[in-house]
Structure formats: structure tokens, C-alpha cells
Amino acid sequence: MNPTKLDHVAYWVADRDSIADFATAHLGMHVIDRTETFTLVGSNARRGKLTLFTAQGPRERGALEHVALRVSDLDAALADLPAGLELERPRAGEAYFDVDTEGVRIGLVQAETDVDYDLDHVALRSRNPEQTAAEYGSLGFEPTASGPSGAPRVEVGGAYVEFHPGDPGVPEKPLLNHLAVLVESADEHIAAANDLGVEIDNVVDAPNTYAVFLRGPDHVRVEYVEHKPTFSLR
């Protein structure tokens, strides 16, 4: 398996419009696509994005701790947030906050980037973070050094998935729909999953993409998505 980058993080949410409005007003994003079932937002369609699927609430955080976006100037990014928003500042160069009451927690991380508000990392809860990081290696994620939080992490295309101690549980209504990584060939990853004995959850042939969904550790779905030649979102 050979994913090239972290393409998007998908949520199940009861009120996708209010979250999309927050992202477009305060996180340098725009609506890239909107259908009857989901809204796709990002600062650049070919970089890290957020997908908001409509689902009945309330949702449960489950394995998802937070999603962090990369910015070149944290102070400028914080100035664009609404007044009175409660911020957590665990370390220099980082800030975390809740976007809504559904559990959508976003971080801003200052780092060198050519596209502001690209995905920096996704933090997941794990009962055994070191073991989970190793298991993600079999899914094509590269081992790398721990991040500023000290949590074990893996890397894909310059973005990270890190694993924090905690109980992901088995929520009936999870907040996290899936993590998506970009690949050159979804069919090759279907074959690789079969060879490795990894559970295939679904295969989706959409107008602009072709993707296979696998079941990763702690019931987290991982999408391996191929952009078709028709992919032209902006």
C-alpha cells in the first residue's frame, strides 16, 4: 500500500451547515462541493479537506480526538476566530477549540506550509498507541518520530495521524466517518487488502473518484481514494 497524502477527514454531523459556515468564515476555507448528503470544505481542493456527512445526532467522539490544520502565522489565524471562543494552548505554536456542541474539535498548528489551513494531523484515541501506530504501518502509513505532544504518530505525504492514550469505545453513532488518503490506483489497494487479509468495508465508484474503504484499528475506516481524470473541483 502506497498512499501519497492525507486527502480529507470525514465526519458524521447533525448540522453540517453551521460547521461549514464556521469553516468558511473563520478557517480560510470555501465550499468545494455540496450534495444532498455531504458538504466538502477546504482551502484548496487538491489539499487536505473536511467532509461533513449529514447524520442523526447526537454523535459520539469515539476514536476521534481532534483534527489540526497547518497555518504559517498562528496569531493571524487566531485573529480570524470569533471573539469569546475558548482556546486551549497546550504548547507554543498550537491552539485547539470546539467548533460546535457535537464534538468537532479543531486545532491550529503553526508550521511551514505553502497552503494555509491544510491538514497537519489527526489525533485518534487508542488503548495502546504504540501498537496502533505499528498497525497503521501495514496500511501504508510511514513510521515517524513523535510529534510535539509526545504521542506516537505515522506520516503520509507530510501530514500525520497520531495516537493519544484513551478508550475509543465502540460508539453506535460515531463522529468520525473516515480518514481518506490519496492513491494512484484504488484497484491496486483492493488487491493489496485481499493479500493482507484486511477487511474491505466498501468500494465506491463516484463521478470524480474511485475508492476502497478498509477497516483499520479501533474500527476506524480508512478510504484509499483515486482521483479520476474528471476530477476538477476547485
Side-chain angles (χ1 to χ4, degrees), residues 95-118:
Y96 298 87
F97 51 88
D98 292 326
V99 170
D100 64 352
T101 59
E102 294 192 65
V104 176
R105 187 165 181 80
I106 295 294
L108 298 175
V109 176
Q110 182 169 302
E112 184 176 345
T113 181
D114 58 341
V115 174
D116 275 337
Y117 300 101
D118 197 0

mmCIF file of all heavy atoms in Angstrom, residues 95-118:
data_model
loop_
_atom_site.group_PDB
_atom_site.id
_atom_site.type_symbol
_atom_site.label_atom_id
_atom_site.label_comp_id
_atom_site.label_asym_id
_atom_site.label_seq_id
_atom_site.Cartn_x
_atom_site.Cartn_y
_atom_site.Cartn_z
ATOM 1 N N ALA A 95 -3.067 25.812 19.067
ATOM 2 C CA ALA A 95 -4.299 26.210 19.740
ATOM 3 C C ALA A 95 -5.411 25.260 19.308
ATOM 4 O O ALA A 95 -5.482 24.867 18.139
ATOM 5 C CB ALA A 95 -4.676 27.643 19.387
ATOM 6 N N TYR A 96 -6.287 24.904 20.261
ATOM 7 C CA TYR A 96 -7.358 23.951 19.995
ATOM 8 C C TYR A 96 -8.673 24.509 20.529
ATOM 9 O O TYR A 96 -8.698 25.213 21.552
ATOM 10 C CB TYR A 96 -7.057 22.598 20.645
ATOM 11 C CG TYR A 96 -5.796 21.963 20.091
ATOM 12 C CD1 TYR A 96 -4.545 22.265 20.636
ATOM 13 C CD2 TYR A 96 -5.851 21.089 19.011
ATOM 14 C CE1 TYR A 96 -3.384 21.718 20.112
ATOM 15 C CE2 TYR A 96 -4.705 20.529 18.481
ATOM 16 C CZ TYR A 96 -3.471 20.842 19.043
ATOM 17 O OH TYR A 96 -2.325 20.304 18.516
ATOM 18 N N PHE A 97 -9.768 24.192 19.849
ATOM 19 C CA PHE A 97 -11.074 24.718 20.242
ATOM 20 C C PHE A 97 -12.170 23.827 19.672
ATOM 21 O O PHE A 97 -11.970 23.084 18.699
ATOM 22 C CB PHE A 97 -11.252 26.155 19.743
ATOM 23 C CG PHE A 97 -10.960 26.324 18.276
ATOM 24 C CD1 PHE A 97 -11.938 26.148 17.314
ATOM 25 C CD2 PHE A 97 -9.674 26.646 17.854
ATOM 26 C CE1 PHE A 97 -11.660 26.288 15.973
ATOM 27 C CE2 PHE A 97 -9.376 26.790 16.508
ATOM 28 C CZ PHE A 97 -10.382 26.613 15.561
ATOM 29 N N ASP A 98 -13.347 23.908 20.285
ATOM 30 C CA ASP A 98 -14.526 23.182 19.819
ATOM 31 C C ASP A 98 -15.315 24.082 18.881
ATOM 32 O O ASP A 98 -15.646 25.223 19.215
ATOM 33 C CB ASP A 98 -15.401 22.746 20.990
ATOM 34 C CG ASP A 98 -14.740 21.678 21.840
ATOM 35 O OD1 ASP A 98 -14.010 20.838 21.274
ATOM 36 O OD2 ASP A 98 -14.947 21.684 23.076
ATOM 37 N N VAL A 99 -15.632 23.555 17.708
ATOM 38 C CA VAL A 99 -16.392 24.316 16.720
ATOM 39 C C VAL A 99 -17.873 24.330 17.067
ATOM 40 O O VAL A 99 -18.573 25.304 16.798
ATOM 41 C CB VAL A 99 -16.173 23.713 15.309
ATOM 42 C CG1 VAL A 99 -17.126 24.320 14.290
ATOM 43 C CG2 VAL A 99 -14.724 23.918 14.875
ATOM 44 N N ASP A 100 -18.372 23.251 17.656
ATOM 45 C CA ASP A 100 -19.797 23.117 17.933
ATOM 46 C C ASP A 100 -19.995 22.259 19.169
ATOM 47 O O ASP A 100 -19.044 21.949 19.883
ATOM 48 C CB ASP A 100 -20.506 22.493 16.730
ATOM 49 C CG ASP A 100 -20.024 21.056 16.469
ATOM 50 O OD1 ASP A 100 -19.045 20.621 17.117
ATOM 51 O OD2 ASP A 100 -20.619 20.369 15.627
ATOM 52 N N THR A 101 -21.215 21.875 19.428
ATOM 53 C CA THR A 101 -21.520 21.033 20.586
ATOM 54 C C THR A 101 -21.533 19.549 20.212
ATOM 55 O O THR A 101 -21.803 18.713 21.067
ATOM 56 C CB THR A 101 -22.884 21.414 21.179
ATOM 57 O OG1 THR A 101 -23.899 21.258 20.170
ATOM 58 C CG2 THR A 101 -22.883 22.854 21.670
ATOM 59 N N GLU A 102 -21.236 19.219 18.963
ATOM 60 C CA GLU A 102 -21.256 17.824 18.520
ATOM 61 C C GLU A 102 -19.925 17.119 18.748
ATOM 62 O O GLU A 102 -19.813 15.921 18.507
ATOM 63 C CB GLU A 102 -21.619 17.747 17.035
ATOM 64 C CG GLU A 102 -23.029 18.189 16.734
ATOM 65 C CD GLU A 102 -23.437 17.830 15.316
ATOM 66 O OE1 GLU A 102 -23.513 16.626 15.012
ATOM 67 O OE2 GLU A 102 -23.683 18.755 14.526
ATOM 68 N N GLY A 103 -18.899 17.867 19.170
ATOM 69 C CA GLY A 103 -17.609 17.251 19.416
ATOM 70 C C GLY A 103 -16.565 17.523 18.357
ATOM 71 O O GLY A 103 -15.472 16.951 18.411
ATOM 72 N N VAL A 104 -16.881 18.368 17.376
ATOM 73 C CA VAL A 104 -15.901 18.706 16.337
ATOM 74 C C VAL A 104 -14.866 19.644 16.949
ATOM 75 O O VAL A 104 -15.128 20.816 17.208
ATOM 76 C CB VAL A 104 -16.570 19.358 15.120
ATOM 77 C CG1 VAL A 104 -15.510 19.778 14.092
ATOM 78 C CG2 VAL A 104 -17.570 18.398 14.484
ATOM 79 N N ARG A 105 -13.672 19.102 17.189
ATOM 80 C CA ARG A 105 -12.584 19.863 17.820
ATOM 81 C C ARG A 105 -11.486 20.074 16.790
ATOM 82 O O ARG A 105 -10.987 19.126 16.183
ATOM 83 C CB ARG A 105 -12.047 19.123 19.036
ATOM 84 C CG ARG A 105 -11.026 19.914 19.850
ATOM 85 C CD ARG A 105 -10.822 19.265 21.212
ATOM 86 N NE ARG A 105 -9.883 19.998 22.045
ATOM 87 C CZ ARG A 105 -10.170 21.097 22.735
ATOM 88 N NH1 ARG A 105 -11.398 21.600 22.676
ATOM 89 N NH2 ARG A 105 -9.273 21.706 23.484
ATOM 90 N N ILE A 106 -11.124 21.331 16.606
ATOM 91 C CA ILE A 106 -10.148 21.719 15.593
ATOM 92 C C ILE A 106 -8.922 22.317 16.271
ATOM 93 O O ILE A 106 -9.032 23.040 17.263
ATOM 94 C CB ILE A 106 -10.751 22.739 14.617
ATOM 95 C CG1 ILE A 106 -11.902 22.112 13.823
ATOM 96 C CG2 ILE A 106 -9.687 23.297 13.665
ATOM 97 C CD1 ILE A 106 -11.488 21.011 12.875
ATOM 98 N N GLY A 107 -7.760 22.016 15.725
ATOM 99 C CA GLY A 107 -6.521 22.631 16.178
ATOM 100 C C GLY A 107 -5.909 23.464 15.066
ATOM 101 O O GLY A 107 -6.121 23.201 13.881
ATOM 102 N N LEU A 108 -5.160 24.481 15.460
ATOM 103 C CA LEU A 108 -4.351 25.261 14.532
ATOM 104 C C LEU A 108 -2.900 25.108 14.965
ATOM 105 O O LEU A 108 -2.571 25.321 16.135
ATOM 106 C CB LEU A 108 -4.757 26.734 14.548
ATOM 107 C CG LEU A 108 -6.202 27.035 14.103
ATOM 108 C CD1 LEU A 108 -6.507 28.521 14.288
ATOM 109 C CD2 LEU A 108 -6.450 26.603 12.664
ATOM 110 N N VAL A 109 -2.049 24.708 14.027
ATOM 111 C CA VAL A 109 -0.641 24.449 14.314
ATOM 112 C C VAL A 109 0.211 25.303 13.389
ATOM 113 O O VAL A 109 0.055 25.240 12.162
ATOM 114 C CB VAL A 109 -0.313 22.951 14.104
ATOM 115 C CG1 VAL A 109 1.169 22.700 14.305
ATOM 116 C CG2 VAL A 109 -1.132 22.085 15.050
ATOM 117 N N GLN A 110 1.088 26.103 13.976
ATOM 118 C CA GLN A 110 1.977 26.929 13.149
ATOM 119 C C GLN A 110 3.142 26.098 12.647
ATOM 120 O O GLN A 110 3.876 25.487 13.424
ATOM 121 C CB GLN A 110 2.495 28.129 13.945
ATOM 122 C CG GLN A 110 3.393 29.060 13.118
ATOM 123 C CD GLN A 110 3.677 30.365 13.807
ATOM 124 O OE1 GLN A 110 2.758 31.103 14.154
ATOM 125 N NE2 GLN A 110 4.948 30.665 14.023
ATOM 126 N N ALA A 111 3.296 26.072 11.327
ATOM 127 C CA ALA A 111 4.384 25.330 10.695
ATOM 128 C C ALA A 111 4.551 25.848 9.273
ATOM 129 O O ALA A 111 3.644 26.478 8.719
ATOM 130 C CB ALA A 111 4.095 23.832 10.686
ATOM 131 N N GLU A 112 5.688 25.563 8.699
ATOM 132 C CA GLU A 112 5.917 25.993 7.321
ATOM 133 C C GLU A 112 4.936 25.295 6.387
ATOM 134 O O GLU A 112 4.789 24.071 6.419
ATOM 135 C CB GLU A 112 7.351 25.671 6.912
ATOM 136 C CG GLU A 112 7.721 26.169 5.526
ATOM 137 C CD GLU A 112 9.175 25.926 5.192
ATOM 138 O OE1 GLU A 112 9.961 25.635 6.124
ATOM 139 O OE2 GLU A 112 9.523 26.034 4.001
ATOM 140 N N THR A 113 4.242 26.055 5.556
ATOM 141 C CA THR A 113 3.274 25.485 4.629
ATOM 142 C C THR A 113 3.075 26.427 3.464
ATOM 143 O O THR A 113 3.120 27.649 3.632
ATOM 144 C CB THR A 113 1.922 25.217 5.328
ATOM 145 O OG1 THR A 113 1.013 24.649 4.383
ATOM 146 C CG2 THR A 113 1.315 26.482 5.910
ATOM 147 N N ASP A 114 2.849 25.868 2.282
ATOM 148 C CA ASP A 114 2.552 26.702 1.123
ATOM 149 C C ASP A 114 1.056 26.894 0.931
ATOM 150 O O ASP A 114 0.633 27.674 0.080
ATOM 151 C CB ASP A 114 3.187 26.128 -0.147
ATOM 152 C CG ASP A 114 2.739 24.703 -0.447
ATOM 153 O OD1 ASP A 114 2.237 24.041 0.477
ATOM 154 O OD2 ASP A 114 2.906 24.266 -1.600
ATOM 155 N N VAL A 115 0.233 26.181 1.723
ATOM 156 C CA VAL A 115 -1.220 26.338 1.684
ATOM 157 C C VAL A 115 -1.723 26.395 3.119
ATOM 158 O O VAL A 115 -1.669 25.395 3.839
ATOM 159 C CB VAL A 115 -1.892 25.171 0.932
ATOM 160 C CG1 VAL A 115 -3.410 25.283 1.038
ATOM 161 C CG2 VAL A 115 -1.463 25.141 -0.525
ATOM 162 N N ASP A 116 -2.189 27.556 3.552
ATOM 163 C CA ASP A 116 -2.735 27.678 4.901
ATOM 164 C C ASP A 116 -4.008 26.847 5.038
ATOM 165 O O ASP A 116 -4.780 26.688 4.089
ATOM 166 C CB ASP A 116 -3.049 29.136 5.218
ATOM 167 C CG ASP A 116 -1.836 29.884 5.735
ATOM 168 O OD1 ASP A 116 -0.917 29.228 6.252
ATOM 169 O OD2 ASP A 116 -1.804 31.126 5.610
ATOM 170 N N TYR A 117 -4.222 26.324 6.235
ATOM 171 C CA TYR A 117 -5.376 25.511 6.600
ATOM 172 C C TYR A 117 -5.372 24.153 5.896
ATOM 173 O O TYR A 117 -6.413 23.517 5.757
ATOM 174 C CB TYR A 117 -6.695 26.264 6.364
ATOM 175 C CG TYR A 117 -6.776 27.541 7.174
ATOM 176 C CD1 TYR A 117 -6.530 28.775 6.568
ATOM 177 C CD2 TYR A 117 -7.064 27.520 8.530
ATOM 178 C CE1 TYR A 117 -6.576 29.949 7.298
ATOM 179 C CE2 TYR A 117 -7.122 28.683 9.275
ATOM 180 C CZ TYR A 117 -6.862 29.902 8.657
ATOM 181 O OH TYR A 117 -6.898 31.060 9.386
ATOM 182 N N ASP A 118 -4.183 23.700 5.484
ATOM 183 C CA ASP A 118 -4.021 22.325 5.041
ATOM 184 C C ASP A 118 -4.061 21.424 6.278
ATOM 185 O O ASP A 118 -3.881 21.889 7.409
ATOM 186 C CB ASP A 118 -2.682 22.174 4.323
ATOM 187 C CG ASP A 118 -2.593 20.919 3.464
ATOM 188 O OD1 ASP A 118 -3.577 20.160 3.420
ATOM 189 O OD2 ASP A 118 -1.541 20.715 2.845
#
